[in-house]
Amino acid sequence: EDGEHVRGGNETINKLDVEQDADMNICNKNDCSNRWICIPPDTAVSQTKRAQKLLKKQALLRHPHQRILAIDNLAALLLTGHHSMAISGDVNSTCHILAMDDSQNTISMPLPWNWMEPIPTLELLELHAPAKAPHLESLEDFVDTDFVIAGNVAEMMMPSTTVSNANSCRDGGDGYDADDAAIGTGTDTDTDETEPATEAVPKIVAAGRMKALQMKPIVEKIIQLSNTPLPKLLYIGTASFDRTDKFLMCTQAFRELGCEIRRLDVSEEDTVPSAEEMREMVVEWPEVILCSGGNTLHALLRWKEVGLDLLMKESGLNGTVLCGASAGAGCWFSSLHTDSLRPDNTKNREHVLNELTEKELQDWDYAKISALGFIDAMCVPHFDATGTNGAKRAEDAEQILLEDPSTSVIGVDENAALVVVGGDAMAVSGDGKATCHVM
């Protein structure tokens, strides 16, 4: 009751504090180590709002590095080994991380409740912490940055581009005909076999949202283009601030197939590998590079800062499949329609969902930003969706087109993907309904 139960000291540093409605029961680690094996030091688990008052008044003031996991009435916290996740009983309730920032303000962040797999507990406890890249302090100042590094590639790819529907994969079922849907596989009878060998044309798969990367027709297309049944896949999650939950979502289908997967984290300065290591990971090793969704502007800025953009271009010209969803789809175009300035999409700041009013969370605008430039058009991922600001993606993109009629616009529905290989393009539907759109 008086907060003394959270004091430090060797005898209390590794205990689990569970608050009930009426009293405070303390479970020492020595007494319950068989049940609670992954709770880090100085972590409290709470079910009531009264614990939040204790947190604000006493606990974190005495121990500013402590984390509290609060559990809504109709939610649960799953702990397995050294991994954790929130489970919702009614798709609204969840668990929350409570902590104190550097200014001694209490932060409360709701955990996503729709994860399919738990993530490392230590990472979960730090999800409230904002990303540290300096540009995130004023991301709007970088909207006009030029990120195009593949303009010459776009000139090579686009003049003869044709767009078709992959009818064989629109039903999303087992009737996927790889021969009928094949593009850019070297089977074109018009190809002059006497021409000298040149750089491979990039093979790009741009999906509307991250969950689309779990859909069979889209996964099969990526694998087909890699020319191997189990491609080596490099995951780059910069746009999602290198979070493990996004990694698990984007790579689920490939992990289930048994693909070898490596992960490159460059969102924070202290995780960037050496230039030699990064080149080996990006250019020499993978057969597929997969970029996550998230904050595209942040990702493009970080890639430019560490030279990853140029390495991905080189890898693509060597024949590596370049794919991704949402931000990881639009990044391959010359420009894209983005929600990078959305309040809960900057600095990895999901905790603002507990801090801002509904009106404040809806107060943002889409932006058109430059991208890497492999495809000379503006990409509109989530084309069939409406943003949290109430604006439909398709309608906002139409307004951009009216203001600049010279802009080529390609919209990608959430459950679809645009596939571009050299001068050929096609839409692949993940559910038999979604598709791509040329405006």
Side-chain angles (χ1 to χ4, degrees):
E1 292 292 340
D2 59 5
E4 289 302 310
H5 63 285
V6 296
R7 67 183 184 277
N10 293 334
E11 74 281 5
T12 60
I13 198 71
N14 271 321
K15 70 189 177 185
L16 170 71
D17 297 335
V18 182
E19 184 190 10
Q20 305 297 335
D21 286 339
D23 56 8
M24 191 76 69
N25 296 321
I26 297 176
C27 175
N28 292 316
K29 183 180 179 183
N30 293 336
D31 298 331
C32 59
S33 57
N34 290 332
R35 289 183 292 144
W36 301 98
I37 61 175
C38 64
I39 295 295
D42 273 354
T43 297
V45 178
S46 167
Q47 288 181 281
T48 69
K49 292 184 178 180
R50 190 159 63 88
Q52 297 188 32
K53 296 179 181 179
L54 283 173
L55 166 73
K56 294 178 181 179
K57 292 181 178 179
Q58 300 174 20
L60 288 185
L61 290 175
R62 298 186 182 207
H63 302 280
H65 299 297
Q66 188 180 50
R67 305 288 178 260
I68 286 183
L69 288 168
I71 306 170
D72 289 342
N73 282 342
L74 297 181
L77 179 71
L78 169 68
L79 299 155
T80 172
H82 294 280
H83 292 68
S84 306
M85 64 184 287
I87 302 174
S88 178
D90 63 357
V91 306
N92 289 313
S93 304
T94 186
C95 301
H96 308 258
I97 301 171
L98 291 87
M100 184 170 287
D101 63 17
D102 294 337
S103 301
Q104 292 195 331
N105 297 314
T106 302
I107 299 173
S108 174
M109 174 184 164
L111 293 176
W113 52 263
N114 56 351
W115 292 349
M116 298 302 294
E117 302 175 66
I119 71 170
T121 302
L122 291 178
E123 180 181 340
L124 180 142
L125 291 171
E126 295 301 322
L127 282 181
H128 68 281
K132 302 173 184 176
H135 58 250
L136 292 170
E137 295 297 332
S138 55
L139 200 56
E140 62 276 3
D141 295 342
F142 298 88
V143 167
D144 295 327
T145 304
D146 184 2
F147 296 106
V148 174
I149 49 90
N152 59 325
V153 179
E155 293 176 3
M156 174 180 65
M157 294 176 69
M158 294 305 291
S160 62
T161 297
T162 56
V163 181
S164 64
N165 282 322
N167 293 324
S168 56
C169 61
R170 286 185 62 83
D171 61 1
D174 294 331
Y176 181 76
D177 189 329
D179 293 329
D180 290 345
I183 59 175
T185 56
T187 58
D188 189 342
T189 56
D190 294 333
T191 301
D192 186 353
E193 296 181 357
T194 64
E195 290 182 0
T198 60
E199 292 178 312
V201 292
K203 297 176 284 189
I204 295 172
V205 180
R209 63 170 177 165
M210 285 189 280
K211 286 187 177 180
L213 295 173
Q214 300 172 2
M215 296 180 172
K216 185 176 180 180
I218 296 173
V219 173
E220 286 184 340
K221 175 53 67 175
I222 294 171
I223 292 175
Q224 175 201 335
L225 293 178
S226 73
N227 296 318
T228 177
L230 294 175
K232 295 182 291 186
L233 186 147
L234 175 66
Y235 171 83
I236 300 175
T238 319
S240 55
F241 303 98
D242 295 330
R243 282 172 44 165
T244 298
D245 58 318
K246 307 302 183 184
F247 164 77
L248 294 173
M249 179 190 299
C250 289
T251 62
Q252 178 182 348
F254 299 94
R255 287 183 289 115
E256 290 175 350
L257 289 171
C259 296
E260 183 179 356
I261 298 175
R262 294 170 70 180
R263 176 175 167 179
L264 176 59
D265 294 347
V266 300
S267 183
E268 301 289 349
E269 200 64 43
D270 56 2
T271 62
V272 179
S274 67
E276 294 77 14
E277 291 173 322
M278 190 154 58
R279 179 175 182 80
E280 185 274 332
M281 291 182 71
V282 179
V283 179
E284 300 172 11
W285 181 80
E287 290 157 325
V288 173
I289 291 177
L290 189 158
C291 295
S292 74
N295 194 308
T296 327
L297 187 51
H298 165 64
L300 290 166
L301 286 164
R302 286 299 294 150
W303 296 346
K304 190 179 183 75
E305 289 169 2
V306 303
L308 180 54
D309 53 352
L310 297 176
L311 291 178
M312 288 195 291
K313 175 184 177 182
E314 183 178 352
S315 188
L317 291 175
N318 286 343
T320 302
V321 179
L322 306 176
C323 69
S326 188
C331 66
W332 311 116
F333 289 71
S334 57
S335 62
L336 76 147
H337 186 265
T338 180
D339 62 355
S340 292
L341 302 181
R342 200 181 74 220
D344 56 324
N345 196 23
T346 61
K347 290 190 173 184
N348 191 24
R349 291 184 60 196
E350 286 185 341
H351 67 78
V352 301
L353 295 174
N354 274 0
E355 296 178 357
L356 300 182
T357 66
E358 195 69 25
K359 184 177 181 180
E360 290 172 323
L361 288 170
Q362 296 172 358
D363 186 18
W364 59 274
D365 296 313
Y366 294 111
K368 176 187 176 183
I369 64 173
S370 166
L372 299 178
F374 287 90
I375 303 170
D376 189 16
M378 182 178 79
C379 178
V380 186
H382 309 279
F383 189 77
D384 54 344
T386 300
T388 57
N389 59 357
K392 294 182 178 179
R393 288 263 191 170
E395 293 180 358
D396 196 82
E398 182 180 3
Q399 186 59 41
I400 292 176
L401 187 60
L402 290 173
E403 295 172 359
D404 182 9
S406 65
T407 301
S408 298
V409 178
I410 299 178
V412 184
D413 287 345
E414 291 203 320
N415 291 339
L418 179 74
V419 180
V420 178
V421 180
D424 298 314
M426 65 189 294
V428 176
S429 178
D431 61 5
K433 300 176 181 179
T435 187
C436 300
H437 310 259
V438 178
M439 296 183 71

